[in-house]
Amino acid sequence: MKSIPVSTTINGDPYEFLCAPDETLLDVLRNRLSLTGAKEGCGTGDCGACSVTLNGRLVCSCLVLGAEAQGAEISTIEGMADGDELHPLQRHFIDHAALQCGICTPGILVAAKSLLEKNPAPTDEEVRYWLAGNLCRCTGYDKIIAAVQAAAAEMRGA
Amino acid sequence: MSLDEYTRREFKQVGTRVRRPDGVDKVTGRAMYGADATAPGMLTGRILRSPHAHARIRSIATSAAEALPGVKAVITSADLSVPEDEFIRDVQDNCMARGKALYDGHAVAAVAATDAATARAALKLIKVDYEPLPHVTDVDVAIRPGAPVVQEGRALENVPAGMSANVTSHSEFGHGTPAEGFARADKIIERSFRTAATHQGYIEPHACLASYAADGKADLWCCTQGQFFVRTLCSAIMGMEASQLRVTASEIGGGFGGKTTVFIEPVALALSRKAGRPVKIVMTRDEVFRATGPTVSTSMDIKIGMTSDGRITAGEAHLRYSGGAFPCGTVDMGGQAAFAAYDLEHVRTFGWNVLTNRPKEAAYRAPGAPQAIYAVESVIDELCQHFGLDPIDVRLKNAAKKGTKSSYGPTFPDIGLVATLEAAKKHPHYSAPLKDGQGRGISCGFWFNFGGNSCVSLNVNTDGTIGVTEGNPDIGGSRASISLMAAEELGIPYDRVRTIVADTSSLGYNDVTDGSRVTFAVGLATIKAARAAIRLMCERAAKIWGIDAEAVEWKDGAAVPAGPNAGKFPPMSLAEIAAVSFETGGPIAGHHEVNVDGAGVSFGVHIVDVEVDKETGATKVLRYTVFQDAGKAVHPSYVEGQMQGGAVQGIGWALNEEYIYGADGRLQNPGFLDYRVPVASDLPMIDTVILEIPNPGHPYGVRGVGETGIVPPLAALSNAVSRSAGIRLCELPMSPPRVLKALTGAG
Ligand code: FES
Ligand code: FES
């Protein structure tokens, strides 16, 4: 199979890579670009551990082809903090003990950020339904919901 | 048991909700998990798995795969020796089938190639000649004489003759004479239960990177709950000395018991040895479901007698557990745990382990206990319903307490069950009104808790900071708890302590992160390592002051003269002593190595409200409260996290999760789409109430908290469903189709 050259933007930086036509964006990020923050929990779109945004839309990067990144703007967990300044979501996840093992955390943070961009004041139920595609096996979600709400409140300036 | 460790004290830092030290790494994507490591020249390993539930392997032809450009090694069981030790041999045979494939997904061969696509192509070129054999995946079928035999000759002597060869062990626990107790009962209920095998469901698939060098030394990086045990298993399988294999635990993306053994690690090592290059293997989710440890599947008969005022007169349990295709002792823990919450005169449990053509069981949070306790707590609830008694009152009336001879032998020291039940009873949840069609259920839960081998080194740096080196992967905040305990004992701020998890060459042996042991046992070793460092620091201060070491004591992070006779010297802080340590005798460190006893059993009580949708059979969890004794909650947020996480795993088990096998013996739902774990929108908040009844076996009174939480949900949900929908199910999960069937059956 002939490799495809791709030019894209990830977390604001230009990237160029070659990938196989059937290679997923997740594999490209992790194996070619050393961006291992997105995790593979299933490879079939069922766990959300690989969540990134593609042109502002929340996607499972295991269901996107690397070639589809051509000309796109991608955001991953590695781009969430501003230098050493954590995003409020990241801070509140630590403060609320919203992670135990932490493997789901990058995907959940990316998904939660995307929710708050669309809906800065979600109800608990809206947070739960938005995050229903992101499995966490450790926490029972309780502290995740609390952390998202605390971050949302801070971001609203409440 | 060491029951004299605890002394009452006022804590300054233990019990506060500090930020975990690995938090920033884990919210920024910086933390390195199993699949995140690479090595120069690394190859990709992949494993070929049996499509048959049970088949003799006549031959495996690998030459076409070996000839594929880019393929660097192909292995089968012929590349591994046959370990003498039966336990190790089973672990190895589970990693790579020898002679027979014992379940759908059993590994039969593996390749290492320059990339994943080549490795996948190579697997297709391996020709395995299988002779399919009759299979059995159901425990009740496998136990019958005449059932297909999974493995011959595995029964222990305690199994009576004449049973199916699939029955590998028998155990019995209890005391008294149940027949006498049953004769005194006003009502006896006997029920049979079944529970499905469930998977731990950690989000991170198993992953490892093995590098075996030409001089016979090897390095292994893997996600595991116990790098030292991985070394024990892999060095035995590879015929290596332990010192030649260094195992480093990556950050771990969940385990719950499922990462206490090896599946791919020996395969990667063997491939690396053959290829002469590093080999990385990452499992797919399908492989995780088909070939790593789910929990046991069970079939159980319970008989309990009760007087009309709620006293249990006798209890009996017959437990048939299957841990898959290999012998497994989990039923023993079920038998010991079944009635552990109760003070009974007559109690007896009988356990049988049965082989089936399913993957080898791995531990899952309180292994063996949730099933047996589900069955017992369901029958107790039914007796409460029969007599119209309050389910908490009945449990209080029968609760085990200090001095109770437990159903499995030992007499309990201070335990927290009564306090936990009382807290549940007076909690607003228990008296909150329910609407029509809603039901409330409760259940007790129990787990033994382990202690075990633990080593800690604590280094006092010259700038007054502390490095703690311990050997247990941090699976849910343990670095924070260990740093907190070190800081408390030394009397310095938490953020001056950094705790790291060592590889197997850097520290003595540590048991696996299991049995809820780490905060308890490693915490104890940390406190004692700190005390050793304190003794040294007192000696150094004494030397500087020119007085006897005995005349110096440690207070609030500083050496001070002990009493007026010792002389008048201003306190000398840890930082001051550390700064001059090179002049007073050299670097200062404390260490402690111990096989810890006195873990202190753990009890919990859960209350749940549900509503069953009579149209769909779906059960909605409306409100949930967990009550659990933590001894002392070192970091309350992570204690709550264990209670909440355990409860939700239990909810999944009760309502949805199950291994479903087809008539062909193949697993039909090896993915998160069809094996449905709870998602955020399924659940309410999980409220927690932490009780603190100090464990006499720990200096700070700490008890393990990790496992008990998964035990009560099974019966609590079943009891709630019974009260919501008027149907008592005796099988888990209570999935919508099963509930619907029961509802229709009930008319
Ligand atoms: S890895 Fe993409 S959804 Fe699970
Ligand atoms: S914290 Fe472990 S899966 Fe979410």
Side-chain angles (χ1 to χ4, degrees):
Chain A
M1 267 186 296
K2 215 165 144 348
S3 287
I4 301 170
V6 177
S7 308
T8 190
T9 304
I10 304 176
N11 302 326
D13 298 326
Y15 277 85
E16 305 218 332
F17 57 83
L18 286 172
C19 70
D22 61 353
E23 198 170 330
T24 66
L25 175 60
L26 178 61
D27 280 342
V28 168
L29 291 171
R30 291 181 50 83
N31 303 338
R32 293 191 187 267
L33 308 180
S34 293
L35 292 168
T36 53
K39 305 299 179 193
E40 178 162 334
C42 67
T44 49
D46 300 317
C47 78
C50 62
S51 298
V52 302
T53 61
L54 180 78
N55 296 327
R57 200 163 60 89
L58 182 65
V59 295
C60 293
S61 62
C62 70
L63 297 183
V64 175
L65 291 172
E68 293 178 76
Q70 173 60 38
E73 300 257 354
I74 294 166
S75 298
T76 72
I77 186 66
E78 285 90 347
M80 195 175 225
D82 183 7
D84 60 5
E85 183 75 25
L86 295 181
H87 187 279
L89 276 164
Q90 293 173 308
R91 227 176 336 98
H92 284 284
F93 265 58
I94 298 176
D95 289 347
H96 285 79
L99 54 143
Q100 283 178 32
C101 79
I103 196 85
C104 66
T105 310
I108 290 186
L109 285 169
V110 168
K113 180 165 177 264
S114 145
L115 166 66
L116 298 187
E117 276 161 10
K118 287 180 200 12
N119 180 357
T123 62
D124 279 5
E125 195 170 7
E126 284 170 331
V127 178
R128 286 183 179 276
Y129 274 91
W130 182 269
L131 293 179
N134 289 84
L135 302 181
C136 173
R137 192 59 160 168
C138 297
T139 63
Y141 305 101
D142 187 291
K143 294 187 190 306
I144 292 176
I145 307 304
V148 171
Q149 291 294 27
E154 181 187 318
M155 288 162 71
R156 287 194 306 270
Chain B
M1 276 205 275
S2 20
L3 294 177
D4 50 354
E5 296 282 356
Y6 175 70
T7 37
R8 223 188 135 71
R9 63 191 284 159
E10 293 296 319
F11 292 103
K12 295 207 170 77
Q13 301 187 73
V14 159
T16 60
R17 298 174 190 254
V18 293
R19 295 198 174 111
R20 65 192 282 173
D22 49 339
V24 171
D25 283 356
K26 286 179 177 168
V27 299
T28 54
R30 211 176 143 246
M32 298 267 292
Y33 290 83
D36 297 339
T38 55
M42 182 177 91
L43 303 171
T44 299
R46 286 195 70 89
I47 295 173
L48 185 68
R49 298 184 179 279
S50 167
H52 301 288
H54 195 192
R56 197 171 315 287
I57 300 170
R58 289 205 200 94
S59 64
I60 305 179
T62 57
S63 50
E66 277 154 350
L68 187 70
V71 171
K72 300 296 173 191
V74 181
I75 63 156
T76 66
S77 65
D79 292 270
L80 301 168
S81 60
V82 182
E84 222 145 88
D85 181 282
E86 195 171 63
F87 174 81
I88 303 267
R89 199 164 64 232
D90 280 349
V91 171
Q92 175 180 316
D93 288 350
N94 188 46
C95 292
M96 194 54 68
R98 197 158 41 87
K100 281 210 298 185
L102 297 172
Y103 55 89
D104 164 45
H106 199 169
V108 295
V111 305
T114 46
D115 58 42
T118 309
R120 272 196 301 270
L123 288 188
K124 295 209 175 87
L125 297 174
I126 297 174
K127 290 277 163 289
V128 186
D129 183 11
Y130 291 106
E131 175 194 340
L133 300 169
H135 63 266
V136 57
T137 54
D138 185 289
V139 61
D140 285 326
V141 178
I143 202 169
R144 287 187 208 136
V149 174
V150 178
Q151 289 196 55
E152 295 280 359
R154 299 306 305 266
L156 299 178
E157 305 82 72
N158 62 14
V159 176
M163 302 199 76
S164 160
N166 291 322
V167 180
T168 57
S169 63
H170 173 62
S171 56
E172 238 184 274
F173 299 96
H175 54 253
T177 316
E180 267 178 40
F182 287 125
R184 289 212 302 273
D186 294 317
K187 172 79 181 169
I188 297 169
I189 291 186
E190 271 187 274
R191 292 276 175 266
S192 296
F193 296 87
R194 284 167 59 91
T195 64
T198 55
H199 196 275
Q200 296 81 352
Y202 33 79
I203 306 302
E204 179 198 34
H206 299 259
C208 70
L209 172 56
S211 182
Y212 190 103
D215 60 3
K217 292 194 193 67
D219 283 288
L220 177 65
W221 158 276
C222 58
C223 53
T224 175
Q225 290 175 245
Q227 62 272 42
F228 292 89
F229 192 51
V230 168
R231 181 184 66 179
T232 302
L233 296 173
C234 289
S235 58
I237 290 170
M238 297 295 291
M240 300 171 73
E241 288 171 355
S243 61
Q244 300 304 296
L245 175 61
R246 180 174 65 156
V247 184
T248 306
S250 69
E251 293 304 325
I252 177 170
F256 316 108
K259 290 177 183 164
T260 54
T261 183
V262 296
F263 300 101
I264 52 175
E265 294 80 357
V267 177
L269 280 165
L271 284 168
S272 175
R273 178 167 64 185
K274 201 162 182 181
R277 284 166 66 168
V279 173
K280 177 163 157 180
I281 299 182
V282 180
M283 272 191 168
T284 63
R285 180 56 53 181
D286 175 272
E287 289 180 287
V288 172
F289 275 113
R290 287 168 71 208
T292 67
T295 186
V296 291
S297 54
T298 75
S299 159
M300 304 172 283
D301 307 323
I302 305 293
K303 179 176 176 184
I304 298 176
M306 194 181 271
T307 59
S308 57
D309 63 348
R311 181 77 185 124
I312 300 171
T313 59
E316 206 174 275
H318 294 262
L319 311 174
R320 297 167 294 275
Y321 282 21
S322 177
F326 295 88
C328 157
T330 297
V331 73
D332 302 355
M333 291 193 274
Q336 294 180 63
F339 290 99
Y342 300 110
D343 183 359
L344 303 179
E345 214 179 316
H346 304 288
V347 57
R348 189 77 59 190
T349 65
F350 306 86
W352 309 89
N353 181 65
V354 187
L355 300 179
T356 52
N357 293 109
R358 290 172 175 244
K360 186 177 193 300
E361 182 247 21
Y364 181 19
R365 222 167 190 155
Q371 300 92 334
I373 290 177
Y374 150 69
V376 166
E377 290 286 302
S378 296
V379 174
I380 290 178
D381 196 60
E382 204 181 331
L383 284 160
C384 293
Q385 286 169 309
H386 173 83
F387 288 122
L389 295 170
D390 177 88
I392 292 188
D393 287 344
V394 166
R395 285 168 174 87
L396 273 167
K397 194 171 213 137
N398 295 284
K401 46 187 103 43
K402 186 174 180 171
T404 295
K405 181 178 166 54
S406 69
S407 58
Y408 60 97
T411 299
F412 285 132
D414 260 340
I415 55 172
L417 177 59
V418 169
T420 312
L421 281 162
E422 280 168 351
K425 188 167 180 191
K426 66 169 199 276
H427 192 275
H429 183 171
Y430 196 58
S431 48
L434 289 167
K435 296 209 184 82
D436 260 4
Q438 299 180 343
R440 176 167 299 146
I442 75 135
S443 171
C444 292
F446 160 84
W447 184 244
F448 307 92
N449 286 347
F450 301 167
N453 294 297
S454 309
C455 300
V456 169
S457 279
L458 183 148
N459 293 301
V460 180
N461 303 319
T462 50
D463 64 354
T465 61
I466 300 293
V468 176
T469 307
E470 49 110 349
N472 283 91
D474 183 347
I475 204 157
S478 58
R479 286 185 187 93
S481 300
I482 287 162
S483 295
L484 268 172
M485 286 184 270
E488 181 79 43
E489 193 64 29
L490 293 166
I492 60 168
Y494 164 78
D495 59 12
R496 311 217 84 196
V497 181
R498 180 166 185 196
T499 297
I500 66 125
V501 179
D503 65 59
T504 56
S505 297
S506 308
L507 198 64
Y509 192 90
N510 284 272
D511 278 329
V512 172
T513 297
D514 71 354
S516 303
R517 67 172 223 93
V518 173
T519 306
F520 163 72
V522 180
L524 180 143
T526 302
I527 292 165
K528 297 207 167 175
R531 288 177 185 172
I534 287 171
R535 271 194 302 280
L536 264 181
M537 290 189 282
C538 289
E539 278 170 34
R540 299 296 174 89
K543 200 168 172 184
I544 293 166
W545 293 333
I547 63 174
D548 276 356
E550 290 78 67
V552 179
E553 62 183 17
W554 193 258
K555 238 180 127 191
D556 297 330
V560 292
N565 296 339
K568 262 198 169 1
F569 303 100
M572 202 170 175
S573 72
L574 182 148
E576 286 165 334
I577 298 170
V580 297
S581 59
F582 293 178
E583 287 88 60
T584 58
I588 299 171
H591 61 98
H592 194 75
E593 295 77 27
V594 61
N595 188 351
V596 189
D597 214 345
V601 297
S602 160
F603 291 94
V605 177
H606 292 197
I607 307 177
V608 61
D609 297 350
V610 305
E611 180 155 8
V612 176
D613 182 330
K614 299 207 166 144
E615 304 277 297
T616 64
T619 301
K620 178 96 192 140
V621 180
L622 304 168
R623 184 171 181 185
Y624 205 103
T625 312
V626 179
F627 303 82
Q628 194 175 316
D629 171 18
K632 172 71 200 169
V634 177
H635 192 306
S637 298
Y638 291 106
V639 170
E640 291 161 5
Q642 289 299 317
M643 291 157 70
Q644 292 164 332
V648 168
Q649 283 185 321
I651 291 171
W653 197 337
L655 296 182
N656 272 306
E657 297 179 34
E658 66 179 312
Y659 265 45
I660 302 171
Y661 280 91
D664 58 0
R666 301 189 63 178
L667 183 61
Q668 294 187 326
N669 57 337
F672 280 135
L673 194 59
D674 299 316
Y675 180 96
R676 196 176 180 289
V677 306
V679 303
S681 53
D682 293 338
L683 297 161
M685 290 310 230
I686 308 292
D687 292 330
T688 54
V689 177
I690 302 175
L691 287 283
E692 293 189 321
I693 292 96
N695 171 17
H698 186 278
Y700 295 173
V702 171
R703 274 176 219 279
V705 294
E707 285 162 294
T708 303
I710 200 173
V711 179
L714 281 56
L717 267 292
S718 188
N719 297 342
V721 166
S722 151
R723 287 157 195 266
S724 157
I727 42 160
R728 169 128 340 241
L729 278 82
C730 291
E731 189 164 4
L732 296 183
M734 297 178 290
S735 51
R738 203 167 271 151
V739 171
L740 214 48
K741 203 168 141 209
L743 281 169
T744 341

